[in-house]
Amino acid sequence: MKISFIPIRLREARKMCGYSLDQLTKAANVRVTRQSIYNYERGVMQPKPDMVKALAETLGVNESFFYGKSTKIDMPMLRSTGDNMLSEEDLQQLEAMLSYWAERYLLMEKKIGLKSVFSNPLADIKVSTLDDIILAADHLREAWKCGSGPLPAVLRLMERKGVKILSAELPDEIWGLSTFADETHPLIVVDMRPQKTTIERLRFTACHELAHILLHFSDDCNVEKMCNKFANFFLFPKQTFIEEMGGEHREQLTLEEMIDLKELYGVSIAAQVHAAWDIRMISREHYNWWYDERINKNNQEEGWGIYSYPETIGREKKIGARISKSTKSNK
């Protein structure tokens, strides 16, 4: 059976490279018109093999990418942070985008002889309770040698441990996604636009998605809630939180002390209140008061402190820089 060219893969690859139709027409090392590329992307025309080869070389992937025979994305695992479901169109677009990004990333690593290794320190832990989550969060900190204090630059930490992270514009109400490429390489996508998220939410989202990648859940678990709890206690360990709060039980929490901890640990006021209730540091009544009277009235936590340490990703850029330097040296 003849394998057909997949139009959406060309479109998403072109967009991820930052090319307009005109720019791709000029960049491709073969004679092609803007209208032809437009028609390839719409599925109106099928490019000939020499054209597919030229497009693949220009966009930095194997020709098999355009036929869906290259890097495989685990679609059933493609989860979103947030209650909104992805439409079928969104899923197809994301699958094409992630396939292109993962394949190019892996080819770049191969080009400089860099092995992409990922090991899951929590592979033997099955989660069903809050205690399991706290244990898993503490175990990961120990395995990754994070200590018990603040975690600056969690995105860079994940990159060092073999998780590939992509910054991309995601649909409204979706802050992050996670899946695997070729059942081996963990991928996390986060929407880092400041107009959409705060730095604390970005950190929380990344750790939530990390939980999806690392943990195995019992059938009766509310997986999304458990991933939220993991994110909370990985960023701010239970024992450290108790010590910072001055004890296991509090009559009430003050905004001033939580602002201080937010600015140090990069954990929102809302997350701290959640953690305090989860470990029963505070009463349900005090938890409800915080949400009813304070948090629900200031979801963005404006005026409640700022975590100033930047969150960035950079491994892909560093690999690209090494390739560029090697290319120039060989000329």
Side-chain angles (χ1 to χ4, degrees), residues 236 239-246 257 260-261 264-265:
F236 207 157
Q239 188 57 39
T240 305
F241 184 59
I242 290 171
E243 291 170 2
E244 289 281 10
M245 286 296 186
E257 65 186 325
D260 174 65
L261 295 175
L264 180 61
Y265 287 86

Side-chain angles (χ1 to χ4, degrees), residues 59-314:
L59 297 170
V61 288
N62 290 317
E63 295 164 54
S64 57
F65 164 77
F66 294 110
Y67 300 98
K69 294 294 181 181
S70 55
T71 304
K72 301 293 183 185
I73 299 300
D74 187 344
M75 292 300 287
M77 196 186 169
L78 193 57
R79 305 179 176 96
S80 64
T81 303
D83 296 328
N84 287 25
M85 297 293 291
L86 291 163
S87 68
E88 191 60 35
E89 183 180 351
D90 286 336
L91 281 170
Q92 289 179 1
Q93 182 177 338
L94 284 165
E95 190 273 340
M97 178 183 75
L98 287 172
S99 294
Y100 171 71
W101 174 65
E103 170 144 334
R104 188 178 63 173
Y105 202 142
L106 293 170
L107 286 173
M108 288 168 65
E109 288 181 331
K110 185 177 180 180
K111 194 169 185 177
I112 62 171
L114 187 63
K115 291 185 178 180
S116 183
V117 179
F118 170 74
S119 174
N120 183 356
L122 307 182
D124 297 329
I125 297 178
K126 189 166 186 177
V127 170
S128 59
T129 67
L130 175 65
D131 286 342
D132 295 334
I133 283 291
I134 292 171
L135 176 67
D138 287 345
H139 185 74
L140 184 62
R141 273 185 167 250
E142 182 180 354
W144 284 2
K145 296 179 172 55
C146 297
S148 61
L151 282 181
V154 292
L155 299 184
R156 295 284 181 136
L157 170 64
M158 293 180 198
E159 285 191 307
R160 292 198 303 274
K161 300 304 178 181
V163 180
K164 291 175 169 47
I165 301 178
L166 171 66
S167 173
E169 186 173 332
L170 295 173
D172 292 343
E173 302 306 317
I174 293 177
W175 292 276
L177 302 163
S178 58
T179 190
F180 275 84
D182 290 340
E183 300 181 346
T184 303
H185 308 287
L187 312 178
I188 289 178
V189 186
V190 284
D191 194 330
M192 298 177 68
R193 292 175 296 159
Q195 65 267 34
K196 180 171 182 177
T197 191
T198 63
I199 190 70
E200 299 83 21
R201 179 154 208 163
L202 171 62
R203 287 161 56 80
F204 189 92
T205 296
C207 292
H208 174 108
E209 296 303 331
L210 182 65
H212 277 303
I213 287 169
L214 298 179
L215 296 176
H216 303 286
F217 300 92
S218 62
D219 293 338
D220 58 346
C221 265
N222 184 321
V223 174
E224 293 304 310
K225 284 187 177 180
M226 284 296 187
C227 287
N228 281 342
K229 295 179 192 302
F230 176 86
N232 222 354
F233 289 108
F234 181 60
L235 288 169
F236 207 157
K238 175 185 175 182
Q239 188 57 39
T240 305
F241 184 59
I242 290 171
E243 291 170 2
E244 289 281 10
M245 286 296 186
E248 293 185 7
H249 301 289
R250 293 283 301 271
E251 290 294 322
Q252 60 180 11
L253 306 175
T254 68
L255 179 60
E256 290 75 17
E257 65 186 325
M258 287 193 288
I259 288 174
D260 174 65
L261 295 175
K262 174 181 178 177
E263 292 179 339
L264 180 61
Y265 287 86
V267 176
S268 69
I269 305 298
Q272 292 180 56
V273 173
H274 264 297
W277 164 243
D278 279 338
I279 63 175
R280 301 303 186 262
M281 178 182 286
I282 59 174
S283 67
R284 184 70 189 190
E285 289 75 19
H286 191 52
Y287 170 86
N288 289 341
W289 179 87
W290 264 101
Y291 267 82
D292 293 342
E293 300 299 324
R294 305 301 294 269
I295 294 169
N296 289 339
K297 295 176 180 179
N298 186 13
N299 284 324
Q300 295 298 311
E301 301 193 359
E302 294 180 7
W304 290 358
I306 297 172
Y307 180 69
S308 58
Y309 202 97
E311 282 291 345
T312 61
I313 51 180

